[in-house]
Amino acid sequence: MPKINITDVILRDAHQSLLATRMRTEDMLPICPKLDAIGYWSLECWGGATFDACVRFLKEDPWERLRKLREALPNTRLQMLLRGQNLLGYRHYSDDVVRAFVHRAADNGMDVFRIFDALNDLRNLKTAIEATKAAEKHAQGTICYTVSPVHDVPGFVRMGKELAAMGCDSIAIKDMAGLLTPYVTAELVKALKDSVDLPLHLHSHATSGLADMCHLKAVENGCDTIDTAISSMAGGTSHPPTESMVAALRGTEHDTGLDLEAIQEIGMYFYQVRKKYHQFESEFTGVDTRVQVNQVPGGMISNLANQLKEQNAIDRMSAVLEEIPRVRKDLGYPPLVTPTSQIVGTQAVLNVLTEKRYQTITNEVKLYLQGRYGSAPAPVNPTLQQQAIGKEELIDCRPADLLKPELDRLTKDIGPLAGSDEDVLTFAMFPEIGRAFLEQRAAGTLQPEPLEAPKTATSEVKSAPTEFKINVHGETYHIKVTGAGHKEQAERHFYFTIDDIPEEVVVETLDELVLTGGTEGAVKKAIAGKRPKPSQPGHVTTSMPGNIVEVLVEEGDTVTAGQSVLVTEAMKMETEIQAPIDGTVTGVYVSKGDAVNPDEVLLEISA
Ligand code: MN
């Protein structure tokens, strides 16, 4: 019998931490027979970000992914990360939605539910734990580890005891930012094992270079299961390498019993897969000890880096990392994990980019300060709270107690676009992108975002020009073919750039007409949206790239300075944009759903 169990996070957290969660199901399935034979305690394969990326970027049905993985991994427990009452979304759901979601996930093949709340407010775990038990699955209660003036080992032990009392089957320490140090791990693990009679799991990110040592200390002090990632996608913002931990413990009383050679074959497979996603590699995936100061989790750093890169503001990364602890203190030291990491991160980005702290406050920060996410670990900044919520009331009950059942309404809202309860839940998690996904699926137009050519891909397009200019509808575009998949593939990938923007098409047969058709589609996409550049005080702009959620005014409306005129969404957070001056709306350049950038005029107001 192995003394130490392994949960491999290769199918979830590894690519979430290193590749912005972009690994496609097509790259998971071929290796599943080998993964299934290893003898892992579980394979983590599902969570909020994987679900989101499937619907938002990959245009895959996340439920279909789960069913395919279930089929391909018949002998291994499948594990998911669940955000308590937030499920996989970014708000609190009513209890009926929570129960429906857990039951659907269980029926589609999920075995282990690792349930957490970003504020460690256990009231937000209650319904999900009960639903998991009702579905006869494994409920793992989670302690989000963080460091602050109000967090300590006795407090985490109290949480562990409460989770046991709530009926959890095991306890996880979730060190999402890589904040644990080896000797603190030893103390925490020992204290938990001494007071809570449940199996203990450790999930720790390697960001600060300490996680391998933390794992060893945890093992020595009675931890039962450790989370690792296949080595070719381990380290840095990801996790300790599976092969290294297996080797470290081999021949000791803590031997995992796993076959190192077999795991290494899997490592070589993902070494190749990783190249395909090179465009999503963050610059911030190496060892970064700043996390011991700024406490920003790995996934959050790579998302912030991508976000800042999109608006050519990557040079502000250090300023944002310095701003995050300030915002966190103002919010009463929440652990930084979804959704608090986005709430704190987006507000920090806004504070840096607008150059005046809290000039713009996101709706989520406002809701947080009202108590709508639960109770903060420590008192929040009262001045900021007053500024954000004005005369609206504070909440101190379990936030979901205020929510009426909403499953019927959601089912009605999405209507016939939903072909199953699972579709309704996809829509419930992501109202905007979920609906768009279901619409595109119905129309047969689902298309994954393009990938850049793998650096190893060779261009096999020899009989046609590979770089040329074309004129479509009076506009000239510079096209450059950058690579192509193998000729033998039934569905062949072609990679090219249009005015330096990477595009990808998949064609079924190698035929120049088919290639041209795909190119035209991509050109049409590139033509969309040309807005004027801002130059006047009445030009309304966004401080971050994002999408328009709501246009609150029409042409001809009279507005006053400070009045909300637009709602945008960036980094999954909604922000209201206010009129900069008094006047009349003389131009509306956006509509709901548009992607917008800071260098464009969204609305024009004339004094
Ligand atoms: Mn993690």
Side-chain angles (χ1 to χ4, degrees), residues 12-13 174 176 203 205 239:
R12 203 281 295 178
D13 208 346
K174 178 176 166 61
M176 55 278 171
H203 176 91
H205 285 261
H239 298 261

Coordinates of all heavy atoms in Angstrom, one line a residue, residues 12-13 174 176 203 205 239, ligand 1:
R12 N -5.9 20.4 -15.1 CA -6.6 21.7 -14.6 C -5.6 22.7 -14.2 O -5.3 23.6 -15.0 CB -7.6 21.3 -13.5 CG -8.7 22.3 -13.3 CD -8.3 23.6 -12.5 NE -7.9 23.4 -11.1 CZ -7.5 24.4 -10.3 NH1 -7.5 25.7 -10.8 NH2 -7.1 24.2 -9.1
D13 N -5.0 22.6 -13.1 CA -4.3 23.8 -12.5 C -3.0 24.0 -13.3 O -2.5 25.2 -13.4 CB -4.1 23.6 -11.0 CG -3.9 24.9 -10.3 OD1 -3.7 26.0 -11.0 OD2 -4.0 25.0 -9.1
K174 N -5.3 24.8 0.8 CA -5.2 25.3 -0.6 C -4.3 26.6 -0.5 O -4.7 27.6 -0.1 CB -6.6 25.7 -1.1 CG -6.6 26.3 -2.5 CD -8.1 26.5 -2.9 CE -8.3 27.4 -4.1 NZ -7.6 27.0 -5.3
M176 N -2.9 28.7 -2.8 CA -3.0 29.1 -4.2 C -1.9 30.1 -4.6 O -1.7 30.2 -5.8 CB -4.4 29.7 -4.5 CG -4.8 30.8 -3.6 SD -5.5 30.2 -2.1 CE -5.7 31.7 -1.1
H203 N -2.3 21.4 -1.4 CA -2.2 22.0 -2.7 C -1.4 23.3 -2.6 O -1.8 24.2 -1.9 CB -3.6 22.3 -3.2 CG -3.7 23.0 -4.5 ND1 -3.8 22.3 -5.7 CD2 -3.7 24.3 -4.9 CE1 -3.9 23.2 -6.7 NE2 -3.8 24.4 -6.2
H205 N 1.4 26.0 -4.6 CA 2.0 26.5 -5.9 C 3.5 26.7 -5.7 O 3.9 27.2 -4.6 CB 1.3 27.7 -6.4 CG 0.0 27.4 -7.0 ND1 -0.2 27.3 -8.4 CD2 -1.2 27.1 -6.5 CE1 -1.5 26.9 -8.6 NE2 -2.1 26.9 -7.5
H239 N 3.0 23.7 -10.1 CA 3.2 22.9 -8.9 C 4.5 22.1 -8.9 O 5.1 21.9 -9.9 CB 2.0 21.9 -8.8 CG 0.7 22.7 -8.6 ND1 0.1 22.9 -7.5 CD2 -0.1 23.3 -9.6 CE1 -1.0 23.6 -7.7 NE2 -1.1 23.9 -8.9
Ligands
MN1 MN -4.1 26.1 -7.5

